[in-house]
Amino acid sequence: MNVKVKLNQIIQLKIKKLGINGEGIGYYQRKIVFVPGALPNEMVKVKITDIRPKYLSAKLIKVLKASKERVDPRDKYEVGGIELENLAYPAQLKFKQDLIQQALNKFEPQGYQHYDVRPTIGMEYPYEYRNKAQFQVRKMKDGTIKAGLYQANSHYLVDLPTFSTQMPLTMKIMRTIVQLLKKWNVSIYDEKRNQGNVKTIVIRQSAAFDQVQVVFVTNQRAFPQKNDLIVSLQRTYPQIVSIMQNVNPGRKSLVWGTETFRLAGKDTIDEQLGNVKFKLSARAFFQLNPQQTLKLYDEVKQALDLHPDETLVDAYCGVGTIGLYVGQNAKQIRGMDIIPESIADAQQNAQMSGIKNVHYETGTAEELMTKWAKNGFVPDALVVDPPRTGLDKQLVETIHQYQPQKFVYVSCNPSTLARDLVKLVRDYEVEYIQSIDMFPQTARCEAIVKFKKK
């Protein structure tokens, strides 16, 4: 479509709806326009920032007519993780339910018009829930040190002295570290020159115990000022029981390097969900919202409804969280993950919680399920919690091959969930989809699908 528009042109738009990333969507001469920060039913003035064949991007200049659901955000930063903070919380929950319906409408799995897509389960207090902060660190020309997140689609680092979705203690420690880095003249990584040392600060806080882990991600193994930092941190915050270093040399898009070792305290911190205990190493995956995680896992437990004579496979098991929580009374839990450290943590977590009916192996779900089937083990129940990319194609075929009687899919991406449903409904019916708000103030949505075998 040939639309007459120029870069930096100011136009007025009526916002029709929110997109999958929480941005406002309007139309200019029938061409779609994405406007971060704009809300449905608003009339806005915007500046065109990008012109593409199929869409335009624009920056919000002024809200001419505000939505009734617009609220004053607590944070005024242009970073990810708070993109819906200007939208009233009940409207956020409705949007996340709609996100799932949008994805179903796009991919059209069989019978999708009749799926029971349930209202999103939210939080009473949708702030201060994140148990982990992963902030980049950079030194400015005037000597000040920034610790925060990048602006969207840029390498401009936004300093975050406050961040309302993080647990308060995590933020206090982060800002203390920033002060200490300057006080001890710690070498900070310079991406342009590929010089310097400290790149990223990762802080994880236990919700169940008074424990915190701090990880310094560095460019070099040598860390001359580490002792000064350790002493200062331990003196100020007795909650810090683990201080680690991860080495990630050179310019890399990934935060973590392959080498992690202890600087002080323990290698892990303790966490607990219900009566299941976990030890979390620096790189172990654990849900970022402990309060909602309990609700999520209770929903999974209810959907699976495991009996004492039934076996469960926990695919993409990580440190064993879902399987150990929902399968304690099952005949046997089996889990797999491609990260050996996660499997080691899962085994230790089962032992700590006194859960003996477990078997964990390193490898992919499709490989191990096939191997186990050859040895006579086909599970009665299956729970999958894949990354945002969704299920591996081979695993989908493996599921079709063995068809567990009970099957629950935990998704963190409505689009890949809907895509996977197209294939899965060949042998299963969707009994219901329950969305859960694991990340208030963001456009991200988690969902649980309970399947019924045809």
Side-chain angles (χ1 to χ4, degrees):
M1 186 182 295
N2 188 16
V3 177
K4 293 180 180 179
V5 66
K6 297 177 181 177
L7 211 58
N8 298 322
Q9 183 177 333
I10 306 294
I11 62 172
Q12 288 188 18
L13 284 177
K14 174 76 180 288
I15 301 300
K16 300 291 186 182
K17 61 180 181 178
L18 289 179
I20 59 172
N21 298 311
E23 69 278 71
I25 292 179
Y27 294 88
Y28 182 70
Q29 296 178 12
R30 296 186 180 179
K31 191 166 188 174
I32 193 166
V33 187
F34 295 108
V35 188
L39 299 177
N41 303 313
E42 291 189 330
M43 185 62 70
V44 294
K45 184 185 286 187
V46 304
K47 180 168 75 172
I48 301 299
T49 57
D50 193 15
I51 301 171
R52 298 294 175 99
K54 293 187 177 180
Y55 67 89
L56 304 173
S57 296
K59 182 177 182 179
L60 179 63
I61 302 297
K62 188 177 182 181
V63 178
L64 303 173
K65 182 188 174 187
S67 163
K68 293 177 182 178
E69 292 165 332
R70 177 174 283 277
V71 295
D72 191 32
R74 295 189 180 193
D75 302 297
K76 310 293 183 183
Y77 312 115
E78 291 185 29
V79 295
I82 48 171
E83 57 270 14
L84 290 185
E85 216 180 354
N86 61 349
L87 182 64
Y89 191 57
Q92 289 185 35
L93 297 179
K94 182 69 171 66
F95 162 68
K96 295 184 182 192
Q97 184 183 8
D98 291 343
L99 263 185
I100 294 169
Q101 196 61 58
Q102 282 183 48
L104 294 173
N105 293 342
K106 179 181 177 182
F107 288 92
E108 299 184 340
Q110 186 182 4
Y112 74 97
Q113 303 95 328
H114 308 294
Y115 289 178
D116 178 10
V117 181
R118 299 182 174 181
T120 307
I121 298 171
M123 297 185 74
E124 285 185 28
Y125 182 66
Y127 296 96
E128 299 179 359
Y129 62 82
R130 290 182 70 100
N131 60 3
K132 186 179 179 182
Q134 191 167 282
F135 286 4
Q136 308 300 314
V137 184
R138 296 293 181 265
K139 192 171 187 177
M140 302 297 104
K141 290 180 180 178
D142 62 1
T144 58
I145 294 174
K146 286 185 178 182
L149 302 172
Y150 291 119
Q151 267 187 7
N153 305 314
S154 80
H155 263 261
Y156 178 76
L157 190 69
V158 178
D159 193 41
L160 298 177
T162 62
F163 209 58
S164 296
T165 57
Q166 291 287 164
M167 289 182 173
L169 178 60
T170 301
M171 288 304 297
K172 281 182 70 176
I173 294 172
M174 184 68 75
R175 299 320 296 179
T176 299
I177 290 174
V178 169
Q179 294 166 9
L180 291 173
L181 292 174
K182 185 172 183 181
K183 176 182 178 180
W184 299 113
N185 195 28
V186 175
S187 172
I188 306 298
Y189 183 65
D190 184 324
E191 192 174 30
K192 287 182 180 177
R193 296 186 176 89
N194 193 24
Q195 294 176 350
N197 204 20
V198 175
K199 289 180 163 184
T200 309
I201 305 296
V202 184
I203 301 173
R204 174 144 53 186
Q205 180 178 346
S206 169
F209 302 99
D210 197 21
Q211 296 181 8
V212 174
Q213 181 180 68
V214 175
V215 185
F216 294 95
V217 181
T218 60
N219 183 43
Q220 302 151 2
R221 204 177 199 280
F223 194 176
Q225 308 92 341
K226 64 185 178 185
N227 290 335
D228 294 323
L229 286 170
I230 290 166
V231 170
S232 298
L233 283 173
Q234 288 182 324
R235 186 183 297 142
T236 311
Y237 297 102
Q239 301 98 324
I240 299 176
V241 299
S242 173
I243 302 178
M244 310 291 289
Q245 182 182 349
N246 174 267
V247 184
N248 187 16
R251 296 187 186 94
K252 294 199 177 77
S253 57
L254 298 174
V255 169
W256 295 93
T258 55
E259 185 184 16
T260 307
F261 50 89
R262 183 176 70 247
L263 297 180
K266 307 186 297 179
D267 286 328
T268 60
I269 59 171
D270 301 321
E271 187 57 283
Q272 186 164 334
L273 292 173
N275 62 350
V276 183
K277 297 175 182 176
F278 303 95
K279 284 196 179 293
L280 303 178
S281 55
R283 296 189 61 188
F285 171 78
F286 196 79
Q287 293 281 2
L288 295 173
N289 186 337
Q291 289 181 58
Q292 290 296 87
T293 299
L294 279 172
K295 294 179 187 177
L296 176 76
Y297 290 178
D298 281 337
E299 289 291 328
V300 174
K301 192 172 188 176
Q302 182 179 317
L304 283 170
D305 187 27
L306 288 169
H307 299 162
D309 61 341
E310 291 179 325
T311 56
L312 170 70
V313 163
D314 177 8
Y316 307 93
C317 73
V319 297
T321 46
I322 292 181
L324 292 174
Y325 189 88
V326 307
Q328 295 172 56
N329 299 320
K331 183 179 178 181
Q332 188 181 39
I333 307 163
R334 292 198 180 193
M336 70 283 284
D337 200 281
I338 58 172
I339 300 171
E341 294 90 343
S342 294
I343 292 300
D345 285 346
Q347 290 166 337
Q348 187 178 25
N349 293 334
Q351 191 175 5
M352 272 198 316
S353 301
I355 301 172
K356 297 177 181 178
N357 58 335
V358 297
H359 173 85
Y360 291 109
E361 284 188 50
T362 303
T364 66
E366 56 274 12
E367 290 168 350
L368 288 173
M369 282 183 71
T370 301
K371 183 183 104 173
W372 293 340
K374 286 178 180 176
N375 293 328
F377 176 85
V378 176
D380 301 300
L382 171 68
V383 59
V384 296
D385 184 11
R388 291 185 64 77
T389 49
L391 293 180
D392 181 272
K393 289 180 182 178
Q394 272 186 281
L395 179 55
V396 173
E397 290 308 311
T398 305
I399 293 168
H400 284 310
Q401 187 176 353
Y402 300 110
Q403 295 182 29
Q405 193 67 35
K406 296 180 176 181
F407 179 23
V408 171
Y409 186 145
V410 181
S411 167
C412 60
N413 185 340
S415 292
T416 53
L417 170 63
R419 179 205 69 196
D420 290 342
L421 287 179
V422 172
K423 297 176 182 176
L424 293 171
V425 294
R426 198 170 81 199
D427 293 314
Y428 290 92
E429 291 176 7
V430 173
E431 198 164 318
Y432 62 78
I433 302 177
Q434 175 65 67
S435 54
I436 297 184
D437 189 16
M438 297 293 288
F439 301 99
Q441 319 310 329
T442 80
R444 289 182 60 183
C445 175
E446 300 256 340
I448 294 165
V449 182
K450 181 181 180 182
F451 290 101
K452 184 178 180 181
K453 193 174 172 185
K454 287 183 177 178

